[in-house]
Amino acid sequence: MVDVVAQEIKCSHCGAPVQFNPGEIIATCKYCGFTTVIETGQAFSFEHSLILNKFEQASIETPIKDWMGSGFLKPADLARKAKFTQKNLVYLPFWVCSVEATSTYKGIFERISPAIVKEGTLSKEYDWLILAREAAEFPTREYEVPLQGKIPFDFRRIEGFAKLLNSEMDREEAIDLTRTQIDAHHRFLLQQDVDRIIEINTKIDLKQMVYLHAPIWFIRYEYKSNLYQLIFDGATGTVVKGDIPTARF
Ligand SMILES: [Zn+2]
């Protein structure tokens, strides 16, 4: 397998080489933590935050074994017999868009006869999370970023064994995607009120936007000769998504 060729720019703060891969747009220097917009070479001028990881490669096994040992659906000997084959800590880049989103809609309500046309607005506030990577296998909608624990980005808190991924998405793209995803979410919510939507227009009012790195553990384990995957939140020690071997009764 050939690795993608990394390119390099010079950190404009400390002069160290900052490597980045094709497609990456914002890069963080691993020597001084300075964050640069690759295309322009300028400093990233928005808030960059970090969620702290609370586990080491040994201690992450404790909450995982607790998870394996709880619940009805798991084999009773899972926590005892599972063998860890991979424990990778990755700081994934996210955009958190705090918005007030308002959808104005017109739809047809068919549950009564004759059907009627209904109009209305749906307005909600969100801290909407956008994963700033194209291909990462991560269930963003199942992950609740523990925002209360965020600190200003501090490269000294990134463990030597961890990997920090750069953003492949700029701020404008993240805002567009937020609007599109909230529009889809509102269409889903509106199914309660109307059976068919004729018109919908979703506007977002951006209150705040944060670029954030969050600690996610990608775990693989072996149980009875099969391999399984787990995605664990390194800030809270809770599972984001996990494969469970089928319990046999
Ligand atoms: Zn630097």
Side-chain angles (χ1 to χ4, degrees), residues 11-16 18 29-34:
C11 173
S12 54
H13 185 249
C14 76
V18 179
C29 173
K30 66 176 172 184
Y31 301 99
C32 76
F34 193 74

Side-chain angles (χ1 to χ4, degrees), residues 103-122:
S103 297
T104 314
Y105 65 92
K106 193 191 250 187
I108 300 178
F109 190 70
E110 293 169 329
R111 273 161 266 182
I112 51 165
S113 182
I116 53 165
V117 172
K118 268 189 164 183
E119 285 179 60
T121 56
L122 174 66

Side-chain angles (χ1 to χ4, degrees), residues 52-241:
L52 295 175
N53 166 57
K54 293 203 181 82
F55 301 92
E56 297 290 329
Q57 280 184 314
S59 62
I60 188 68
E61 292 190 11
T62 307
I64 294 174
K65 294 221 158 149
D66 287 349
W67 174 79
M68 286 175 167
S70 64
F72 304 108
L73 297 169
K74 298 176 193 117
D77 59 358
L78 181 59
R80 197 158 40 85
K81 294 220 172 121
K83 286 200 174 57
F84 295 96
T85 59
Q86 188 186 307
K87 291 182 273 180
N88 291 338
L89 172 61
V90 181
Y91 285 85
L92 287 180
F94 292 96
W95 289 97
V96 186
C97 299
S98 301
V99 299
E100 187 181 332
T102 306
S103 297
T104 314
Y105 65 92
K106 193 191 250 187
I108 300 178
F109 190 70
E110 293 169 329
R111 273 161 266 182
I112 51 165
S113 182
I116 53 165
V117 172
K118 268 189 164 183
E119 285 179 60
T121 56
L122 174 66
S123 194
K124 278 176 173 289
E125 287 186 8
Y126 300 99
D127 289 323
W128 199 262
L129 193 64
I130 301 281
L131 176 62
R133 297 289 292 191
E134 306 288 347
E137 280 179 40
F138 184 77
T140 309
R141 295 276 79 85
E142 286 161 56
Y143 170 58
E144 206 168 309
V145 61
L147 283 175
Q148 61 286 353
K150 77 180 165 68
I151 61 162
F153 186 81
D154 182 351
F155 74 102
R156 289 163 298 191
R157 306 298 291 266
I158 306 292
E159 298 82 350
F161 63 85
K163 190 172 174 185
L164 185 99
L165 292 184
N166 288 320
S167 177
E168 294 174 331
M169 197 181 286
D170 68 18
R171 199 174 177 273
E172 307 316 314
E173 250 181 288
I175 296 171
D176 281 351
L177 204 52
T178 297
R179 204 200 62 79
T180 307
Q181 290 183 359
I182 292 179
D183 183 79
H185 176 60
H186 281 187
R187 283 171 190 266
F188 171 77
L189 294 179
L190 286 170
Q191 288 173 0
Q192 292 192 336
D193 296 319
V194 289
D195 298 300
R196 250 186 311 140
I197 293 171
I198 309 169
E199 266 176 50
I200 180 164
N201 181 16
T202 300
K203 287 201 169 97
I204 59 170
D205 182 8
L206 188 67
K207 307 280 186 199
Q208 203 203 2
M209 193 157 178
V210 177
Y211 178 51
L212 175 126
H213 277 96
I216 306 293
W217 287 85
F218 290 85
I219 309 286
R220 277 174 193 275
Y221 69 91
E222 195 186 310
Y223 172 76
K224 295 193 173 166
S225 310
N226 288 315
L227 280 175
Y228 300 91
Q229 263 193 66
L230 278 179
I231 299 178
F232 234 76
D233 179 346
T236 60
T238 54
V239 68
V240 178
K241 194 172 187 177

